[in-house]
Coordinates of all heavy atoms in Angstrom, one line a residue:
G41 N 28.8 -17.5 -11.3 CA 28.4 -16.2 -12.0 C 27.4 -15.5 -11.2 O 27.4 -14.2 -11.1
V42 N 26.4 -16.2 -10.6 CA 25.4 -15.5 -9.8 C 26.0 -14.8 -8.6 O 25.7 -13.7 -8.3 CB 24.4 -16.6 -9.3 CG1 23.5 -16.1 -8.1 CG2 23.6 -17.2 -10.4
R43 N 27.0 -15.5 -7.9 CA 27.6 -14.8 -6.8 C 28.4 -13.6 -7.2 O 28.3 -12.5 -6.6 CB 28.5 -15.7 -6.1 CG 27.8 -16.9 -5.3 CD 28.8 -17.6 -4.4 NE 29.9 -18.3 -5.1 CZ 29.7 -19.6 -5.4 NH1 28.7 -20.2 -5.3 NH2 30.8 -20.1 -6.1
L44 N 29.1 -13.7 -8.4 CA 29.8 -12.5 -8.9 C 28.8 -11.4 -9.3 O 29.1 -10.2 -9.0 CB 30.6 -12.9 -10.2 CG 31.8 -13.8 -9.9 CD1 32.4 -14.4 -11.1 CD2 32.9 -13.1 -9.0
H45 N 27.7 -11.7 -9.9 CA 26.7 -10.7 -10.3 C 26.2 -10.0 -9.1 O 26.0 -8.8 -9.0 CB 25.6 -11.4 -11.0 CG 24.6 -10.4 -11.5 ND1 24.5 -10.0 -12.8 CD2 23.5 -9.8 -10.9 CE1 23.5 -9.1 -13.0 NE2 22.9 -9.0 -11.8
Q46 N 25.9 -10.8 -8.0 CA 25.4 -10.2 -6.7 C 26.4 -9.3 -6.1 O 26.0 -8.4 -5.4 CB 25.0 -11.3 -5.8 CG 23.8 -12.1 -6.2 CD 23.5 -13.3 -5.4 OE1 24.4 -13.8 -4.7 NE2 22.3 -13.8 -5.4
Q47 N 27.7 -9.5 -6.4 CA 28.7 -8.6 -5.8 C 29.0 -7.4 -6.7 O 29.8 -6.6 -6.4 CB 30.0 -9.4 -5.7 CG 29.9 -10.6 -4.6 CD 31.1 -11.5 -4.6 OE1 32.1 -11.3 -5.3 NE2 31.0 -12.6 -3.9
G48 N 28.2 -7.3 -7.9 CA 28.4 -6.3 -8.8 C 29.6 -6.4 -9.7 O 30.0 -5.5 -10.4
R49 N 30.2 -7.6 -9.8 CA 31.4 -7.9 -10.6 C 30.8 -8.5 -12.0 O 30.9 -9.7 -12.2 CB 32.2 -8.9 -9.9 CG 32.8 -8.3 -8.6 CD 33.3 -9.3 -7.7 NE 34.5 -10.0 -8.2 CZ 35.1 -11.0 -7.5 NH1 34.7 -11.3 -6.3 NH2 36.1 -11.7 -8.1
F50 N 30.2 -7.6 -12.7 CA 29.4 -8.1 -13.9 C 30.3 -8.6 -15.0 O 29.9 -9.6 -15.6 CB 28.6 -6.9 -14.5 CG 27.6 -6.4 -13.5 CD1 27.6 -5.0 -13.1 CD2 26.7 -7.2 -12.8 CE1 26.7 -4.5 -12.2 CE2 25.8 -6.7 -11.9 CZ 25.8 -5.3 -11.6
A51 N 31.4 -8.1 -15.2 CA 32.3 -8.6 -16.3 C 32.8 -10.0 -16.0 O 32.8 -10.9 -16.9 CB 33.5 -7.6 -16.5
E52 N 33.1 -10.3 -14.7 CA 33.6 -11.6 -14.4 C 32.4 -12.6 -14.4 O 32.5 -13.7 -14.7 CB 34.1 -11.6 -12.9 CG 35.4 -10.7 -12.8 CD 35.9 -10.6 -11.4 OE1 36.4 -11.6 -10.9 OE2 35.7 -9.5 -10.8
A53 N 31.2 -12.1 -14.0 CA 30.0 -12.9 -14.1 C 29.7 -13.3 -15.5 O 29.3 -14.5 -15.8 CB 28.8 -12.1 -13.5
L54 N 29.9 -12.4 -16.4 CA 29.7 -12.8 -17.9 C 30.6 -13.9 -18.3 O 30.2 -14.7 -19.1 CB 29.9 -11.5 -18.7 CG 28.8 -10.4 -18.7 CD1 29.2 -9.2 -19.5 CD2 27.5 -11.0 -19.3
Q55 N 31.8 -13.9 -17.9 CA 32.8 -14.9 -18.2 C 32.3 -16.3 -17.7 O 32.3 -17.3 -18.5 CB 34.1 -14.6 -17.6 CG 34.8 -13.4 -18.2 CD 36.2 -13.1 -17.5 OE1 36.6 -13.7 -16.6 NE2 36.9 -12.0 -18.0
Q56 N 31.8 -16.3 -16.5 CA 31.3 -17.6 -16.0 C 30.0 -18.0 -16.8 O 29.9 -19.2 -17.1 CB 30.9 -17.5 -14.5 CG 32.1 -17.2 -13.6 CD 33.1 -18.4 -13.6 OE1 32.7 -19.5 -13.7 NE2 34.3 -18.0 -13.6
F57 N 29.1 -17.1 -17.2 CA 27.9 -17.5 -17.9 C 28.2 -17.9 -19.3 O 27.6 -18.8 -19.8 CB 26.9 -16.3 -17.9 CG 26.4 -15.9 -16.5 CD1 26.1 -14.6 -16.2 CD2 26.2 -16.9 -15.5 CE1 25.7 -14.2 -14.9 CE2 25.7 -16.6 -14.3 CZ 25.5 -15.3 -14.0
E58 N 29.2 -17.3 -19.9 CA 29.6 -17.7 -21.3 C 30.2 -19.1 -21.2 O 30.0 -19.9 -22.1 CB 30.7 -16.7 -21.8 CG 30.1 -15.3 -22.3 CD 29.3 -15.5 -23.6 OE1 29.2 -16.5 -24.1 OE2 28.8 -14.4 -24.0
A59 N 31.0 -19.4 -20.2 CA 31.6 -20.7 -20.0 C 30.5 -21.7 -19.8 O 30.6 -22.9 -20.4 CB 32.6 -20.7 -18.9
A60 N 29.5 -21.4 -19.1 CA 28.4 -22.3 -18.8 C 27.6 -22.5 -20.1 O 27.2 -23.7 -20.4 CB 27.5 -21.7 -17.8
K61 N 27.5 -21.6 -20.9 CA 26.7 -21.7 -22.2 C 27.5 -22.6 -23.1 O 26.9 -23.5 -23.9 CB 26.5 -20.3 -22.9 CG 25.7 -20.4 -24.1 CD 25.5 -19.0 -24.8 CE 26.9 -18.6 -25.4 NZ 26.7 -17.4 -26.3
I62 N 28.9 -22.5 -23.1 CA 29.7 -23.3 -24.0 C 29.6 -24.8 -23.5 O 29.6 -25.8 -24.2 CB 31.2 -22.8 -24.0 CG1 31.2 -21.5 -24.7 CG2 32.0 -23.8 -24.7 CD1 32.5 -20.8 -24.6
A63 N 29.7 -24.9 -22.2 CA 29.7 -26.3 -21.5 C 28.3 -27.0 -21.8 O 28.3 -28.2 -22.0 CB 29.9 -26.2 -20.0
D64 N 27.3 -26.2 -21.8 CA 25.9 -26.8 -22.0 C 25.1 -25.9 -22.9 O 24.3 -25.1 -22.3 CB 25.3 -27.2 -20.7 CG 23.9 -27.8 -21.0 OD1 23.6 -28.2 -22.1 OD2 23.2 -28.0 -20.0
P65 N 25.3 -25.9 -24.2 CA 24.5 -24.9 -25.0 C 23.0 -25.1 -25.1 O 22.3 -24.3 -25.7 CB 25.2 -25.2 -26.4 CG 25.7 -26.5 -26.4 CD 26.1 -26.8 -25.0
T66 N 22.5 -26.2 -24.5 CA 21.1 -26.4 -24.5 C 20.4 -25.9 -23.2 O 19.2 -26.1 -23.0 CB 20.8 -27.9 -24.6 OG1 21.3 -28.6 -23.5 CG2 21.5 -28.4 -25.9
N67 N 21.2 -25.3 -22.3 CA 20.6 -24.9 -21.1 C 20.1 -23.4 -21.2 O 20.9 -22.5 -21.3 CB 21.7 -24.9 -19.9 CG 21.1 -24.6 -18.6 OD1 20.0 -24.1 -18.4 ND2 21.9 -24.9 -17.5
P68 N 18.8 -23.2 -21.2 CA 18.3 -21.9 -21.4 C 18.6 -20.9 -20.2 O 18.7 -19.7 -20.4 CB 16.8 -22.1 -21.4 CG 16.5 -23.4 -20.7 CD 17.7 -24.2 -21.0
D69 N 18.9 -21.4 -19.1 CA 19.2 -20.6 -17.9 C 20.6 -19.8 -18.2 O 20.7 -18.7 -17.7 CB 19.3 -21.4 -16.6 CG 18.0 -21.9 -16.2 OD1 17.0 -21.2 -16.4 OD2 17.9 -23.1 -15.7
S70 N 21.5 -20.4 -18.9 CA 22.7 -19.7 -19.2 C 22.5 -18.6 -20.0 O 23.0 -17.4 -19.9 CB 23.8 -20.7 -19.8 OG 24.1 -21.8 -19.0
F71 N 21.6 -18.7 -21.0 CA 21.2 -17.6 -21.9 C 20.5 -16.5 -21.1 O 20.7 -15.3 -21.3 CB 20.4 -18.1 -23.1 CG 21.1 -18.9 -24.1 CD1 21.4 -20.3 -23.9 CD2 21.6 -18.3 -25.2 CE1 22.0 -21.0 -24.8 CE2 22.3 -19.0 -26.2 CZ 22.6 -20.4 -26.0
Y72 N 19.7 -16.9 -20.2 CA 18.9 -16.0 -19.4 C 19.9 -15.2 -18.5 O 19.7 -14.0 -18.4 CB 17.9 -16.7 -18.5 CG 17.3 -15.8 -17.5 CD1 16.4 -14.8 -18.0 CD2 17.5 -15.9 -16.3 CE1 15.8 -13.9 -17.1 CE2 17.0 -15.0 -15.3 CZ 16.1 -14.1 -15.7 OH 15.5 -13.2 -14.8
N73 N 20.8 -15.9 -17.9 CA 21.7 -15.2 -17.0 C 22.5 -14.2 -17.8 O 22.8 -13.1 -17.3 CB 22.7 -16.2 -16.3 CG 21.9 -17.0 -15.3 OD1 20.8 -16.7 -14.8 ND2 22.6 -18.2 -14.8
L74 N 23.0 -14.5 -19.0 CA 23.7 -13.7 -19.8 C 22.9 -12.4 -20.2 O 23.3 -11.2 -20.1 CB 24.2 -14.3 -21.1 CG 25.4 -15.2 -21.0 CD1 25.5 -16.1 -22.2 CD2 26.6 -14.4 -20.8
A75 N 21.6 -12.7 -20.6 CA 20.6 -11.6 -21.0 C 20.4 -10.7 -19.8 O 20.5 -9.4 -19.9 CB 19.4 -12.2 -21.4
S76 N 20.3 -11.2 -18.6 CA 20.0 -10.4 -17.5 C 21.1 -9.6 -17.1 O 21.0 -8.4 -16.7 CB 19.5 -11.3 -16.3 OG 20.0 -11.0 -15.1
T77 N 22.3 -10.1 -17.2 CA 23.6 -9.3 -16.9 C 23.8 -8.2 -17.9 O 24.1 -7.1 -17.5 CB 24.8 -10.3 -16.8 OG1 24.5 -11.3 -15.9 CG2 26.0 -9.5 -16.3
Y78 N 23.7 -8.5 -19.2 CA 23.8 -7.5 -20.2 C 22.7 -6.4 -20.0 O 23.0 -5.2 -20.2 CB 23.8 -8.1 -21.6 CG 25.0 -8.7 -22.1 CD1 25.1 -10.1 -22.3 CD2 26.2 -7.9 -22.2 CE1 26.2 -10.6 -22.8 CE2 27.4 -8.5 -22.7 CZ 27.4 -9.8 -23.0 OH 28.6 -10.4 -23.4
H79 N 21.5 -6.8 -19.6 CA 20.5 -5.9 -19.3 C 20.8 -5.0 -18.2 O 20.7 -3.7 -18.3 CB 19.2 -6.7 -19.0 CG 18.0 -5.9 -18.8 ND1 16.8 -6.5 -18.5 CD2 17.7 -4.6 -18.8 CE1 15.8 -5.6 -18.4 NE2 16.4 -4.4 -18.6
R80 N 21.3 -5.5 -17.1 CA 21.8 -4.7 -16.0 C 22.9 -3.7 -16.4 O 22.9 -2.5 -16.0 CB 22.2 -5.6 -14.8 CG 22.7 -4.9 -13.6 CD 21.6 -4.2 -12.8 NE 22.1 -3.7 -11.6 CZ 22.1 -4.3 -10.4 NH1 21.6 -5.5 -10.4 NH2 22.4 -3.7 -9.3
M81 N 23.8 -4.2 -17.1 CA 25.0 -3.4 -17.5 C 24.5 -2.3 -18.5 O 24.9 -1.1 -18.4 CB 26.1 -4.2 -18.2 CG 26.7 -5.2 -17.2 SD 27.9 -6.3 -18.0 CE 29.1 -5.1 -18.6

Side-chain angles (χ1 to χ4, degrees):
V42 168
R43 289 195 296 272
L44 291 169
H45 183 103
Q46 291 173 336
Q47 296 169 8
R49 298 159 64 181
F50 301 124
E52 296 173 75
L54 285 175
Q55 293 177 359
Q56 293 296 322
F57 296 144
E58 286 286 0
K61 185 181 73 170
I62 294 172
D64 183 9
T66 64
N67 185 349
D69 291 322
S70 297
F71 287 84
Y72 171 69
N73 289 345
L74 282 167
S76 140
T77 305
Y78 279 118
H79 186 175
R80 177 71 173 267
M81 294 173 64

